[in-house]
Amino acid sequence: MTTVNVPLLDLKPQYQSIKAEVDAAMARVVASQYFILGPEVEALEQEIAAYCQVKHGIGCTSGSDALILALMAIGIKPGDEILCPSYTFFATGSAPCRLGAKPVWVDIDPVTYNMCPRAAAEAAQRCTRLKAIIPVHLFGQAADVDAFAALGARLGVPVIEDGAQAIGARDATGAMVGARCAMATWSFFPSKNLGCFGDGGMITTNCPHVAEQLKVLRVHGSKVKYYHRTIGMNGRLDALQAAVLRVKLPHLESWHAGRTANADFYDAAFKAAGAADTRTPLSAGGTQMRYPARPAAPARHIYNQYVIRVPEGQRDDLRAHLAEQKIGTEIYYPLPLHLQECFEFLGTAVKGLLPHTEAAAKETLALPIFPELTAEQRAHVAQQVVAFVAKSARTLAGTR
């Protein structure tokens, strides 16, 4: 019997489906010999802004640099404080530190894994130099934009949405994430729903003054060549990456639909096996696995990752079992930022500080969700997860 191979992500089918378009776009850039910024980047900025329902897009080198540029644009200084989650990719927490500012870690909502607005409001009370809030739309699901926009307005600080994993996601009002706050930052890393052929990023905003500032900051603080009114950085987007993204953008909605169809299949399979979604904590008992809670319409999850949850102590065994069955997985994220060695200077490396964050780091596992999954592949994934959870339940019952 041949084992079905299911990588966590396989970009080759996507590339083959658009190869002719991509090759033509890249040839167009090579023929122009215009490789940094220029008309391809300007066109992409307009197209991304329109897709995200905002007025301005500013292309840059990466999603990580997008966060730094956004903070520079609002004048972040050493010693300033930024509210952000600890359960996120490293760049969210490192961006304030790169400017001498201080990330103030906030716990998550265990249902969505996004930063908890109530916990953020409590953390803000302990701040003396709070200058911004960075909620992350984690795994492709919108954070509570209403709550964070209201909190930012009450505290008098801008909200910068980290949308690196969530381009095309919609919030509870049906608006695109990134459309309602001061700025949003985006990553076009190859593994994203909209990924380029290397590093790439963007900042979007509705404010023309912020957009102009960002355009200056990404070119070493220079509006007129060799004349610098501020200290910026080399944060320019390559034309080749912009050309690739311009080809991919018209396909993005169909790729979202493919990911959603795969999520629908997983949800149904896991529910049929007795599992509940994340609105029911593992401590409630029953089948010891949780699948992602689906946001109510008009909100939309675009499933950059499909993350399940099993009890601590079983997650790594489940991952090893799936690897034996040739199924790729990933742990997002095994060690929260507040416990990372590089942030020890903040004095937050205290276990139990953020209980929901720390529990998620020990209990969650991402399954393959890319849109080109075959019916055979996704069935194999679901069957193996269900089989492991059932076997674990029998083993646990036998030890009682």
Side-chain angles (χ1 to χ4, degrees):
M1 180 176 177
T2 303
T3 301
V4 180
N5 183 44
V6 192
L8 178 66
L9 175 65
D10 185 359
L11 292 171
K12 297 183 186 72
Q14 181 190 95
Y15 171 61
Q16 290 302 321
S17 71
I18 57 174
K19 183 179 185 301
E21 296 175 80
V22 170
D23 290 352
M26 295 184 74
R28 181 176 69 240
V29 174
V30 173
S32 76
Q33 290 293 291
Y34 205 140
F35 294 115
I36 305 295
L37 297 179
E40 290 287 346
V41 173
E42 291 170 5
L44 176 69
E45 290 171 337
Q46 294 170 8
E47 291 160 7
I48 292 290
Y51 179 78
C52 294
Q53 302 175 342
V54 296
K55 295 178 180 178
H56 305 281
I58 302 90
C60 63
T61 37
S62 68
S64 300
D65 284 346
L67 285 164
I68 295 170
L69 285 163
L71 292 174
M72 292 172 71
I74 62 172
I76 292 300
K77 300 288 192 299
D80 289 344
E81 295 166 315
I82 316 293
L83 295 179
C84 66
S86 171
Y87 191 63
T88 181
F89 180 64
F90 181 76
T92 311
S94 68
C97 296
R98 292 284 298 275
L99 300 175
K102 176 184 177 182
V104 177
W105 310 118
V106 178
D107 210 354
I108 59 171
D109 176 347
V111 175
T112 65
Y113 306 115
N114 283 319
M115 187 164 75
C116 174
R118 184 175 62 254
E122 293 170 355
Q125 294 177 356
R126 301 190 294 272
C127 294
T128 58
R129 292 183 57 178
L130 182 64
K131 292 298 189 297
I133 305 170
I134 306 181
V136 179
H137 304 299
L138 199 68
F139 303 149
Q141 181 174 356
D144 190 339
V145 178
D146 285 341
F148 285 114
L151 180 62
R154 179 165 63 83
L155 298 173
V157 299
V159 175
I160 299 170
E161 301 175 59
D162 184 338
Q165 300 178 9
I167 189 166
R170 293 181 181 272
D171 67 20
T173 71
M176 287 286 195
V177 298
R180 298 171 56 206
C181 295
M183 281 178 277
T185 62
W186 311 97
S187 169
F188 302 127
F189 188 77
S191 64
K192 300 297 191 288
N193 288 30
L194 180 63
C196 56
F197 285 2
D199 276 316
M202 190 167 291
I203 310 106
T204 53
T205 181
N206 282 311
C207 178
H209 304 295
V210 169
E212 181 62 26
Q213 177 73 347
L214 288 164
K215 289 179 181 179
V216 170
L217 286 167
R218 72 176 174 184
V219 190
H220 300 287
S222 172
K223 185 173 183 179
V224 178
K225 193 173 183 179
Y226 301 132
Y227 290 84
H228 305 267
R229 70 185 191 197
T230 188
I231 297 174
M233 61 186 289
N234 182 0
R236 302 167 296 194
L237 180 62
D238 293 351
L240 281 167
Q241 302 299 352
V244 170
L245 291 166
R246 293 187 66 205
V247 169
K248 287 190 169 190
L249 182 59
H251 299 275
L252 183 57
E253 284 297 312
S254 67
W255 295 337
H256 288 333
R259 287 172 178 267
T260 300
N262 290 334
D264 290 344
F265 178 87
Y266 285 150
D267 288 356
F270 297 146
K271 183 177 181 180
D277 68 31
T278 51
R279 290 172 295 183
T280 301
L282 286 168
S283 59
T287 300
Q288 288 291 280
M289 195 270 282
R290 300 291 180 261
Y291 56 91
R294 186 71 58 100
R300 178 172 73 163
H301 196 322
I302 53 91
Y303 295 101
N304 187 237
Q305 283 89 29
Y306 184 95
V307 175
I308 63 170
R309 191 164 190 161
V310 295
E312 179 184 352
Q314 292 186 25
R315 191 267 312 277
D316 292 347
D317 290 341
L318 170 59
R319 191 180 192 201
H321 169 74
L322 295 177
E324 290 175 358
Q325 300 300 316
K326 308 299 182 185
I327 296 171
T329 60
E330 186 56 272
I331 299 171
Y332 303 104
Y333 298 92
L335 185 65
L337 297 187
H338 71 284
L339 298 178
Q340 295 280 352
E341 182 179 356
C342 65
F343 292 123
E344 285 182 354
F345 70 96
L346 295 171
T348 58
V350 179
K351 290 186 178 181
L353 180 69
L354 304 176
H356 292 305
T357 293
E358 293 167 36
K362 297 173 182 176
E363 297 172 355
T364 55
L365 187 68
L367 303 179
I369 193 67
F370 60 95
E372 295 83 10
L373 277 174
T374 67
E376 184 182 30
Q377 285 177 317
R378 69 187 187 185
H380 180 54
V381 174
Q383 289 165 2
Q384 292 303 322
V385 170
V386 168
F388 176 88
V389 172
K391 182 179 178 181
S392 296
R394 290 193 298 271
T395 301
L396 181 61
T399 61
R400 289 174 179 168

